[in-house]
Amino acid sequence: MKSETGTSTRTRPEEPGKEVRRLDRVIIRFAGDSGDGMQLTGDRFTSETASFGNDLSTLPNFPAEIRAPAGTLPGVSSFQLHFADHDILTPGDAPNVLVAMNPAALKANIGDVPRGGEVIVNTDEFAKRAMAKVGYDTSPLEDGSLDGYRVHPVPLTTLTIEALKDFGLSRKEAERSKNMFALGLLSWMYHRPTEGTESFLRQKFASRPQIAEANVAAFRAGWNFGETTEDFAVSYEVAPATQAFPAGTYRNISGNLALSYGLIAASRQADLPLYLGSYPITPASDILHDLSRHKNFGVRTFQAEDEIAGIGAALGAAFGGSLAVTTTSGPGVALKSETIGLAVSLELPLLIVDIQRGGPSTGLPTKTEQADLLQAMYGRNGEAPVPVVAPRTPADCFDAAIEAARIALAYRTPVFLLSDGYLANGSEPWRIPDIDELPDLRVQFATGPNHQLADGTDVFWPYKRDPQTLARPWAVPGTPGLEHRIGGIEKQDGTGNISYDPANHDLMVRTRQAKTDGITVPDLTVDDPDGAKTLVLGWGSTYGPITAAVRRIRREQGAIAQAHLRHLNPFPKNLGEILHRYDKVIIPEMNLGQLATLIRARYLIDARSHTQVNGMPFKAEQLASALKEAIDE
């Protein structure tokens, strides 16, 4: 027998009239109004799936408005989860199961569901007015337009209200629990654990125990409905992904949470206090929220009045001897650019975390994009080089944060960490590392004079450099004898005094560039088992879709090589040699070809762009088709 995913299944009876089918993977999408709790529903299903041991990848997708117009297409919020008994890389191209809470959710998402997919519809919301609002002249539940799907009409609202009739809630209060009814139904369908969700609900609503128990009751009612109704004759099992992960302790983690933990780990490994100066901005705000909970680790968070104040405070903390961080998205980077230039001139360690989103200007606050690369590289006046590091998966945000901190501390420089909305909000299993696996990031502060004048006087020169790293000494203010000037005017080499001398300016500009160029980064590795002639090169969050597409091509006996960049400035030293090894180089990006522009300029090769800027990550199938066309040319 074939499953929805095209993989083999086997069935066994569970009880009279019911059977269980075993699948290797499933893609589920919950969709409804932004007030229907779809993100919470998806989060809970994800948490239980992680605790069960499946590999997983998620894609939350929601409007920018806090409460978008109810029942409209722009107001649809969705959460897609791909889980499997083997390792997976993306949230999936198309959902096998769509849960549509209203007509808008159905219309906005049905085009992504393949024929034969399951569609669970809340029939209570399909009134004439609600359908007309999204352009349905007739009910899609009755006009045959859904005949190609396995449709399950379920009066979710009515069933939820009936299940909660003894709780003394108003109709409106009871209706709010319909997402928990849907979660219970899907938990039954896919044999998800239930204890964690019930504990979560009781904890979340601890101050309102009646609401907590009502949500638990709705959740259980959904489970029981699946078990007793004739419409759901089949449930499904997806076994734990026992072979997908190395041994260790795992938890589900989002990109922003992993990045927050990475910053805390870096501060502990550096034995420095962590300071975050930030202004709330989507999709970076969760880092501020997460770090504010960890004062016990010496973390200080400052929610500033604007972006400029946030980075100014962070740079001041760097001057004072902290591991300093500022978090933002693309519009905030534009506002911070002058202070980033000041950090380049002062040569102080500072992490600038840019969670990229659709632009320009305010753009698409809740959608993803990779279009800030050139801004990170060149978006400052003068020659102001800044190293750039990019994580590739949600869990990898932890390691990327530690790597960015290593560079900042060792080379006394601001560092860009380029994540994006897809990584920030998405989640996957993360192996919790042992402390002894983390690098030692401790630095030595300047403690006394480091230079002797011609007359024998011992003095402190703030720009006397380490011969290996070209880093200047880091002197904590208040240390006797280490007083020195700071500010944005050009410094004299060594002394740090103000200098307008042309030759000195030339020396300082070239020295700062040489420091960035000389940063030690690992060589780029290439996955090329077949001696391919075509290389696909990626960076950041395109890793999952690219790797999934490469796997598809290789399953069809195609030969293609893959390499993925973490370090975008400086590039790995062996990148040029690798690129010239291949006849064709394809660079997929969620922008109009920014990495491709850098590669062409630096290495003089005809790198080809494959671009997408629709606010969503690449789909593996579409990317595989584009790569295959490039191979066959």
Side-chain angles (χ1 to χ4, degrees):
M1 183 177 294
K2 291 291 182 180
S3 73
E4 300 109 326
T5 61
T7 57
S8 297
T9 70
R10 60 188 181 86
T11 63
R12 61 177 175 82
E14 184 188 48
E15 56 182 89
K18 298 283 186 178
E19 70 177 32
V20 179
R21 295 181 186 173
R22 182 163 293 172
L23 309 178
D24 66 346
R25 65 186 182 97
V26 175
I27 304 167
I28 298 174
R29 184 182 298 176
F30 299 93
D33 263 342
S34 57
D36 281 340
M38 294 297 94
Q39 302 306 315
L40 175 62
T41 305
D43 281 340
R44 288 315 313 159
F45 197 96
T46 299
S47 293
E48 299 299 350
T49 296
S51 69
F52 188 72
N54 295 122
D55 195 9
L56 62 90
S57 180
T58 68
L59 178 62
N61 186 15
F62 42 87
E65 294 84 1
I66 293 174
R67 185 66 174 93
T72 64
L73 293 174
V76 172
S77 174
S78 67
F79 188 105
Q80 184 162 303
L81 165 69
H82 183 190
F83 60 103
D85 65 2
H86 56 278
D87 83 312
I88 55 175
L89 300 154
T90 75
D93 290 353
N96 310 120
V97 182
L98 170 65
V99 180
M101 303 297 280
N102 61 15
L106 179 66
K107 186 158 192 176
N109 293 280
I110 192 64
D112 292 336
V113 182
R115 292 288 171 169
E118 294 197 73
V119 181
I120 300 171
V121 181
N122 180 15
T123 56
D124 287 326
E125 297 297 321
F126 279 71
K128 281 188 176 181
R129 184 176 179 184
M131 290 188 291
K133 190 180 288 189
V134 296
Y136 280 129
D137 296 325
T138 59
S139 173
L141 306 180
E142 300 171 357
D143 63 10
S145 59
L146 299 179
D147 286 351
Y149 307 95
R150 289 181 285 168
V151 179
H152 301 278
V154 181
L156 285 171
T157 307
T158 300
L159 291 170
T160 302
I161 293 172
E162 177 65 22
L164 304 184
K165 64 183 180 181
D166 296 331
F167 282 82
L169 302 176
S170 68
R171 179 182 176 89
K172 187 174 183 180
E173 287 176 322
E175 282 184 7
R176 289 176 181 157
S177 296
K178 63 181 181 290
N179 64 324
M180 288 298 104
F181 189 100
L183 178 59
L185 173 58
L186 269 293
S187 296
W188 172 84
M189 283 182 66
Y190 291 97
H191 296 228
R192 299 297 91 183
T194 61
E195 294 81 4
T197 294
E198 293 187 10
S199 297
F200 168 83
L201 291 170
R202 291 190 173 103
Q203 182 178 1
K204 179 177 176 63
F205 298 106
S207 62
R208 303 178 68 190
Q210 183 186 32
I211 298 298
E213 293 308 316
N215 276 282
V216 170
F219 176 69
R220 290 177 176 174
W223 177 283
N224 293 333
F225 178 77
E227 195 167 66
T228 58
T229 184
E230 294 181 2
D231 193 38
F232 291 90
V234 177
S235 64
Y236 304 92
E237 283 185 347
V238 180
T242 53
Q243 303 300 316
F245 308 117
T249 302
Y250 287 80
R251 59 157 294 170
N252 183 53
I253 200 165
S254 69
N256 273 352
L257 184 57
L259 201 154
S260 300
Y261 287 176
L263 294 173
I264 295 171
S267 76
R268 303 292 284 184
Q269 292 303 104
D271 197 21
L272 296 174
L274 178 64
Y275 184 94
L276 173 67
S278 182
Y279 180 74
I281 184 172
T282 301
S285 299
D286 283 343
I287 301 171
L288 171 61
H289 301 158
D290 291 329
L291 288 179
S292 67
R293 301 186 180 104
H294 295 292
K295 296 180 178 63
N296 56 312
F297 287 121
V299 179
R300 291 186 178 181
T301 54
F302 170 51
Q303 181 173 319
E305 64 269 29
D306 57 39
E307 295 281 5
I308 298 171
I311 190 172
L315 184 56
F319 178 59
S322 293
L323 176 59
V325 185
T326 189
T327 53
T328 190
S329 191
V333 173
L335 292 166
K336 295 177 189 289
S337 61
E338 183 178 8
T339 309
I340 298 172
L342 176 60
V344 172
S345 176
L346 297 182
E347 300 189 44
L348 287 170
L350 173 67
L351 301 186
I352 306 112
V353 177
D354 178 5
I355 313 296
Q356 300 165 95
R357 71 189 204 189
S361 188
T362 306
L364 305 174
T366 60
K367 310 303 179 185
T368 196
E369 204 164 272
Q370 285 183 300
D372 293 349
L373 175 56
L374 293 184
Q375 180 178 220
M377 288 286 292
Y378 302 120
R380 294 163 296 282
N381 64 297
E383 295 289 342
V386 176
V388 181
V389 175
R392 63 186 188 178
T393 69
D396 188 48
C397 289
F398 177 88
D399 295 319
I402 292 176
E403 173 64 0
R406 176 192 73 84
I407 294 172
L409 294 170
Y411 294 88
R412 312 286 197 273
T413 178
V415 177
F416 262 103
L417 181 57
L418 289 185
S419 180
D420 61 41
Y422 171 39
L423 296 183
N425 297 316
S427 62
E428 66 176 353
W430 171 59
R431 188 181 70 82
I432 300 172
D434 293 329
I435 297 299
D436 57 10
E437 297 175 15
L438 302 179
D440 185 349
L441 301 181
R442 287 174 294 182
V443 297
Q444 295 295 320
F445 290 110
T447 56
N450 61 358
H451 184 76
Q452 191 173 75
L453 300 177
D455 64 2
T457 304
D458 291 327
V459 296
F460 175 67
W461 274 15
Y463 283 83
K464 184 169 185 176
R465 301 178 183 279
D466 182 290
Q468 298 299 318
T469 65
L470 299 183
R472 78 174 186 90
W474 194 1
V476 175
T479 306
L482 303 190
E483 298 85 357
H484 60 282
R485 288 184 176 87
I486 61 170
I489 298 178
E490 183 64 282
K491 312 294 185 298
Q492 184 182 51
D493 181 41
T495 69
N497 296 330
I498 290 172
S499 174
Y500 295 102
D501 177 61
N504 178 79
H505 177 60
D506 184 274
L507 173 64
M508 294 296 280
V509 167
R510 294 180 186 278
T511 300
R512 288 188 288 261
Q513 184 64 57
K515 181 171 70 169
T516 299
D517 292 342
I519 291 172
T520 300
V521 303
D523 278 349
L524 183 65
T525 58
V526 183
D527 176 19
D528 185 4
D530 304 311
K533 296 182 178 180
T534 300
L535 171 71
V536 55
L537 179 69
W539 70 278
S541 67
T542 57
Y543 173 78
I546 288 174
T547 306
V550 165
R551 288 181 180 180
R552 291 186 185 212
I553 291 171
R554 290 176 180 170
R555 281 198 298 266
E556 298 171 3
Q557 308 307 310
I560 188 167
Q562 178 188 0
H564 207 80
L565 289 167
R566 163 170 283 176
H567 297 89
L568 297 156
N569 191 33
F571 287 131
K573 287 183 169 50
N574 66 333
L575 176 57
E577 181 271 324
I578 288 172
L579 294 173
H580 285 96
R581 206 187 294 167
Y582 294 91
D583 295 343
K584 300 173 187 175
V585 176
I586 315 297
I587 304 180
E589 297 181 78
M590 293 187 293
N591 56 48
L592 295 183
Q594 296 188 14
L595 176 61
T597 297
L598 295 173
I599 293 294
R600 292 186 194 112
R602 177 72 63 85
Y603 299 106
L604 303 179
I605 67 162
D606 184 23
R608 306 186 191 184
S609 285
H610 178 74
T611 63
Q612 174 178 298
V613 282
N614 62 5
M616 297 294 286
F618 284 108
K619 291 185 175 180
E621 183 177 1
Q622 294 174 352
L623 190 52
S625 297
L627 294 176
K628 193 169 188 310
E629 287 179 12
I631 294 172
D632 294 340
E633 285 180 0

